[in-house]
Amino acid sequence: MNPIIETLKELNISDEKIAEVFQALTENPITAMGTIQSLGIPSDKLQALMMMLMTNPDLIKEAVDELGLDFSKVEQAKAKLKESQS
């Protein structure tokens, strides 16, 4: 199992909320961070989870694939983010 999904399950986050987080990550990674923060994860665990998400985008792709979501939307979101930063 993907370590991000595994961490969320260990924190008693429902499958529905996990899917919601990764759907948000595929559509708008910046907004997804707010979604993740709203899950009520203790700050030490939240910080570790955010670092995992930010430093290893391959884990996001693996989780998206595992959940059966469309990763092409992640690529589109990354392109939009780069545009907004230039």
Side-chain angles (χ1 to χ4, degrees), residues 14-15 22 26 29 32 39 48 56 58 61 63 72 75 82-84:
S14 70
D15 290 344
F22 284 98
T26 63
L39 296 174
N56 198 341
D58 289 340
K61 181 183 182 331
S72 68
E75 296 302 322
K82 280 185 181 180
E83 285 176 18
S84 69

Side-chain angles (χ1 to χ4, degrees), residues 15-84:
D15 290 344
E16 181 180 293
K17 285 288 185 188
I18 292 171
E20 186 179 313
V21 164
F22 284 98
Q23 185 68 40
L25 281 167
T26 63
E27 292 172 0
N28 186 339
I30 302 301
T31 304
M33 296 305 162
T35 302
I36 294 166
Q37 290 173 335
S38 74
L39 296 174
I41 298 171
S43 61
D44 59 328
K45 301 281 186 186
L46 179 62
Q47 184 175 11
L49 182 63
M50 294 296 229
M51 287 302 298
M52 198 181 330
L53 287 167
M54 290 189 290
T55 60
N56 198 341
D58 289 340
L59 288 177
I60 297 171
K61 181 183 182 331
E62 289 172 18
V64 167
D65 289 343
E66 192 173 316
L67 295 169
L69 300 172
D70 183 0
F71 190 73
S72 68
K73 290 184 180 180
V74 172
E75 296 302 322
Q76 292 170 3
K78 284 193 326 190
K80 285 181 189 174
L81 183 60
K82 280 185 181 180
E83 285 176 18
S84 69

